[in-house]
């Protein structure tokens, strides 16, 4: 069974441009029924995320306070605070991802972002 200790690295990988825009990595990492509620309230289905063009040039994401909470033998919740640095602004969000390893490897099933104040 996959180890929940692997989840912080996976969470960071889905934010890193080199892996976020790698369709093979993302298809393996996002469960077939994955859905995201974006920080602006928009719904992002898996197919849309997999087809997204690479627009991350000049964007850097840092995850703070990454925490893993096992919910069952095959489900874990990862929470963190994201700091997304664009050339002209920085956006802070509370993030949560529901991870499932029933398939034999960790896959993200759901993600949500909620805007928040800057972390100091």
């Amino acid at each position: 069974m996959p180890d929940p200790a692997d989840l912080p690295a996976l969470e960071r990988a889905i934010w890193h441009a080199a892996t976020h825009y790698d369709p093979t990595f993302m298809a393996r990492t996002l469960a077939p029924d994955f859905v995201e509620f974006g920080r602006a309230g928009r719904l992002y289905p898996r197919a849309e995320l997999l087809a997204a063009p690479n627009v991350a040039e000049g964007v850097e994401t840092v995850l703070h306070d990454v925490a893993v909470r096992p919910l069952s033998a095959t489900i874990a919740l990862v929470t963190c605070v994201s700091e997304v640095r664009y050339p002209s602004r920085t956006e802070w969000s509370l993030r949560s991802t529901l991870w499932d390893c029933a398939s034999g490897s960790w896959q993200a099933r759901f993600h949500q972002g909620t805007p928040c104040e800057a972390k100091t």
Side-chain angles (χ1 to χ4, degrees):
M1 192 58 65
D3 188 346
D6 296 335
L7 289 171
L10 272 173
E11 190 73 28
R12 285 183 173 90
I14 62 174
W15 285 95
H16 189 269
T19 44
H20 182 82
Y21 294 103
D22 176 344
T24 302
F25 172 81
M26 291 302 283
R28 183 177 62 243
T29 305
L30 302 181
D33 61 348
F34 176 85
V35 67
E36 176 179 337
F37 294 167
R39 71 182 302 277
R42 185 162 175 245
L43 177 71
Y44 293 92
R46 179 181 189 265
E48 185 175 338
L49 293 172
L50 292 178
N54 184 345
V55 294
E57 189 169 320
V59 177
E60 179 187 5
T61 301
V62 178
L63 300 183
H64 303 274
D65 303 328
V66 177
V68 177
R69 293 171 181 83
L71 303 176
S72 75
T74 59
I75 303 288
L77 177 67
V78 174
T79 58
C80 62
V81 177
S82 69
E83 175 186 3
V84 182
R85 300 175 189 154
Y86 296 93
S88 63
R89 70 188 187 288
T90 299
E91 294 179 349
W92 291 85
S93 300
L94 300 172
R95 301 280 178 177
S96 61
T97 307
L98 191 60
W99 291 88
D100 181 352
C101 68
S103 68
S105 62
W106 287 112
Q107 289 187 306
R109 298 189 76 83
F110 174 78
H111 179 81
Q112 181 168 355
T114 304
C116 68
E117 296 296 319
K119 178 179 172 51
T120 56

